[in-house]
Each structure stands twice: as structure tokens, then as C-alpha cells.
Amino acid sequence: MTELTTRQRYDFKRDLEEISSLRGQHTELISLYVPASKQISDVTNYLRSEASQASNIKSTQTRKNVQAAIESLLSRLRYHRQAPENGLVLFVGSVVTGNNQQEMRAYVFEPPQPITTFLYRCDSTFHIDLLKEMLAEKDVYGLLLIDRRECTVGILRGKKVDLVFYDTSQVPGKHGRGGQSQRRMERRTEIAAEEWYKKMGERASEVFRNTPGLVGILVGGPGPSKRYFAEGKFLHYELEPKVVDLFDTGYTDESGLKELVGQASGALQHLGLVKEKKLVQRFLREVQKAQSGVATYGEGQVRYALNAGAVETLLLSEGLRRYRVQIGCSQCDYLAGDRTLKAADVDNRLDEKCPRCGSRLVVKSKKDVVDELSELAEGSKATVELVSQDSEEGETLLKAFGGIAAILRYPLEIPTKLDA
Ligand code: ZN
């Protein structure tokens, strides 16, 4: 499985967003999921039989469109002897465009995670649910359940829980005999319990320290033992700050792991957002400073700071729906320079004429502004942070600051009137 970088994740998300917005006039958009295990020749045969069945479609237009889409799929599959490791996903079909025209579109993906089942679907929309699931964040958490009798350790990846080990203790139960022997017994019990916690702490620490990408640890159990364990420094000191919280569960065996994750879900959701909340809060503190604040916002200002190499962290809202476009003449080689347009405006006709030949100006090329600014930032080794709209701070970044902001390396004099 390939781990997506933040940027790849963003690009993938945007592609899926675009694809999911497309509509066919009728059921004529084809989604094809090919797992690596499937022979391409089998897929080709399958498509040929679909094509012959399509000849029964009554509407001439729909029939033609479906057959054209299948032809297009067949010709694309010709490039592959075999599906790649994670399989192949193709979306092909005639989509309705702005002016009620139809246009043939084709998208081919090698998904970031393996596809397991073959799927052929002809519908009025493309089927992207399977790909969407692959976008879910895959944070890794350590799970630990403990009391005096049992200890279970597991790992949570995304929504998947894996058991790592289960162990039971030799700590004697508490049963009274009275007198001297009772106290001796109690003392022995306490020593045994201490050793049990120590041993489990070491085993769990070894597991957690060797789990790449571990962001937190959830500790659970039915009684007070979990608190005693968590506060008793039984985990390696590097792991202590990673303990998210303690949670009550009814069980300390494998069945308790799912229970633990359920109990912690609220805390986990909150945790995922903590990093971006903190970033935006830091930006806001800088912006509010009357003097020598190291922050700026607005596309023109941020571009200026990026070009000066003064940006430490570039904050971009995932809710930005803008393109950096190059405008030029439709007839001659006149270029009118770059502009930033709202996604909705990119396909609109421009009401401008070429100053050289009087022909219409058009959009020559476009690039998602998040990608374009990220590349600019990478040039000066600035960190790029994509901020979701899932927190109040994320909303503020988009609504109050236009979704483009920067924390600077040093205070910088930036002209207030700047065009993007
Ligand atoms: Zn011109």
C-alpha cells in the first residue's frame, strides 16, 4: 500500500470531486474497476459482450454513446498486458457540458490501494465510492487494555483494528485468610501486580515504539488499574506524551479493543484536527500583533512573500476552488499574463479582445492554485500545510482570510495594494 502525501491526497480528492460532478444525459457513463488479479483479456471479452448487448438500446444517441465509451475503454486497455499492482480504474463516457453539449471524457487511475473486486457499471454518474474510501485518513494509534488479570495490545489503522498480543497474569486474587498470612499474601500480591504491569509496559512499549507513524495511544480497562498503569511510568518515557486518554471498557481481551476504539472516537476526531487548529491559531496571533507580526494573507501578499523567500509556512484552505490561468489570444501569440479565477469562471468566455489583432482572449492553460502556490513554496523550502474546513479555525482561514495565508520567517514590508 502506498501512503499518499498531503499534496497527492489533495489532487486525488479534487479529481474525484470533478468526476463525481459529471452527469450523462442517460445511463451512458461507464465505471470500470479492474483488480490486478483479473486478466486483461477477460476484461476485454467482458467489454465486447457488453458492446453487443448495447446494440439493443433503443435510443440511437445513448446506444452510440455507450458503444463509443466501450470502444474507448478497449483501446485504453490495449496499453496494458496486465493491470498494475493496485489494479486500474477507468471512467469513460459522454458527459453533459455547460452549454448542454456532450463531450467524451476519459479518466484512468492507478489507485493508491489495491482494488479487490471487478466492477463494470453503466449509469448516469460515475461510481467513485470505492476510490473515495481510499482517501480516508489513516492515522495509527496504539491500543492497550489492562487490569490485574489480562492485558491486550493492538493497533488501530484508519478503521482497522489489529490484535498484537494478549497475555494473562499470575497475580493471585484477593481472598482473605486473616492475620499474619493475610498481610504476607497481600504483600506478595502487590509485588506480583507490580511485576505484571512492568512486564506488560515493556512489551507494549516495544510494540508501540516499532510502529511507524504512531500518533497516539489509547489506554482502557474496566477498573482503576489502567490509571495506575498509565500514571506509574510503566510505558517508555517517549511514549508517555502520546497517551491520548484513559477509557472505560467492559473487557480487557480482544473484544475490548473495538470497545476502546468506540469509546475514544470523539477524542480521536478532535485530535486529527489539533495540528491544523494550532497552526491557524498561531497565524491569527501573528496577524493581530500591531508590530513586527510575522504573518500575511491574501493571494497577492502571499505571492509577494513567497517570491521574496520569506515564507516559513504556507497555509492553504482545502476549500479554495481557484485556478491559476494563463490568458492569451485565440489567434495570435499575444499573452496577457497569469490570473487567478474561480473554478466556476474558468470555462466562461472572456469579454476581452486582443490588443494586437482584436481577436478574443481565451484561457490557454490552467492549474489548481493550491498546486501552483505549493510548487512556488517548495522552491524556497517553505512548508505547505493544507487546512481542512472541519474546524472553526479552518473555516476562519477560508472565510475571513480568503484561504491563502502565510507565517513568515521574519517581518516583511509588503505593499498593501497588490494584484494577484
Ligand atoms: Zn491576437
Side-chain angles (χ1 to χ4, degrees), residues 89-382:
V89 181
L90 303 98
F91 301 108
V92 179
S94 173
V95 305
V96 180
T97 61
N99 323 322
N100 230 11
Q101 300 287 303
Q102 293 202 30
E103 191 183 305
M104 198 66 163
R105 293 271 179 89
Y107 301 85
V108 182
F109 287 98
E110 282 182 32
Q113 283 164 43
I115 291 167
T116 47
T117 43
F118 175 76
L119 176 112
Y120 171 93
R121 198 58 59 80
C122 192
D123 209 334
S124 55
T125 55
F126 289 119
H127 283 247
I128 62 161
D129 291 358
L130 279 170
L131 289 181
K132 239 178 169 170
E133 274 169 30
M134 294 180 185
L135 272 175
E137 294 283 350
K138 290 268 185 302
D139 280 342
V140 182
Y141 290 92
L143 307 173
L144 188 148
L145 296 165
I146 193 155
D147 65 6
R148 282 183 171 223
R149 297 246 143 244
E150 295 179 310
C151 176
T152 306
V153 164
I155 299 290
L156 171 70
R157 286 187 184 83
K159 290 193 167 73
K160 198 165 161 283
V161 174
D162 289 317
L163 172 73
V164 181
F165 72 79
Y166 167 77
D167 205 348
T168 52
S169 80
Q170 302 297 319
V171 181
K174 291 176 182 172
H175 36 77
R177 284 197 199 136
Q180 278 285 38
S181 69
Q182 162 105 31
R183 249 167 287 146
R184 253 204 320 272
M185 193 63 185
E186 277 172 12
R187 172 114 188 89
R188 251 192 285 163
T189 305
E190 287 321 305
I191 291 171
E194 203 68 13
E195 273 169 9
W196 162 247
Y197 291 136
K198 195 167 163 247
K199 194 171 128 201
M200 291 304 106
E202 281 166 7
R203 273 188 81 180
S205 295
E206 184 169 333
V207 171
F208 295 152
R209 293 180 74 200
N210 290 306
T211 302
L214 188 87
V215 293
I217 298 168
L218 311 175
V219 181
S225 299
K226 58 180 175 295
R227 182 164 301 280
Y228 181 77
F229 177 84
E231 289 171 0
K233 305 209 178 299
F234 293 106
L235 282 174
H236 189 273
Y237 70 94
E238 283 173 4
L239 294 171
E240 270 179 43
K242 291 199 171 178
V243 175
V244 174
D245 210 344
L246 309 177
F247 301 89
D248 283 317
T249 61
Y251 299 92
T252 38
D253 59 7
E254 191 176 355
S255 63
L257 290 179
K258 283 239 159 79
E259 213 189 334
L260 177 61
V261 172
Q263 298 285 358
S265 66
L268 294 186
Q269 221 166 10
H270 174 74
L271 208 71
L273 296 175
V274 165
K275 189 184 165 204
E276 60 184 54
K277 279 163 89 90
K278 280 189 178 153
L279 264 168
V280 177
Q281 283 163 4
R282 194 179 143 213
F283 161 74
L284 291 173
R285 276 198 304 276
E286 292 299 329
V287 164
Q288 281 153 12
K289 280 183 190 166
Q291 276 181 338
S292 30
V294 285
T296 190
Y297 59 93
E299 194 185 338
Q301 277 68 19
V302 169
R303 263 183 207 287
Y304 183 93
L306 280 170
N307 287 326
V311 174
E312 179 212 276
T313 307
L314 174 64
L315 303 177
L316 296 171
S317 170
E318 285 187 1
L320 269 180
R321 290 290 175 269
R322 279 162 210 279
Y323 284 98
R324 190 69 172 165
V325 300
Q326 195 183 43
I327 306 285
C329 177
S330 55
Q331 298 300 324
C332 74
D333 58 3
Y334 172 77
L335 288 178
D338 295 348
R339 280 180 218 172
T340 301
L341 296 181
K342 284 186 188 153
D345 293 335
V346 171
D347 296 323
N348 288 348
R349 281 155 67 121
L350 295 166
D351 250 346
E352 287 167 68
K353 296 258 150 62
C354 171
R356 272 194 217 152
C357 73
S359 306
R360 190 175 280 282
L361 291 188
V362 292
V363 170
K364 291 265 174 191
S365 66
K366 65 169 188 177
K367 190 169 208 175
D368 191 312
V369 92
V370 168
D371 288 330
E372 190 252 344
L373 286 174
S374 299
E375 279 162 25
L376 202 56
E378 279 153 20
S380 62
K381 301 260 184 293

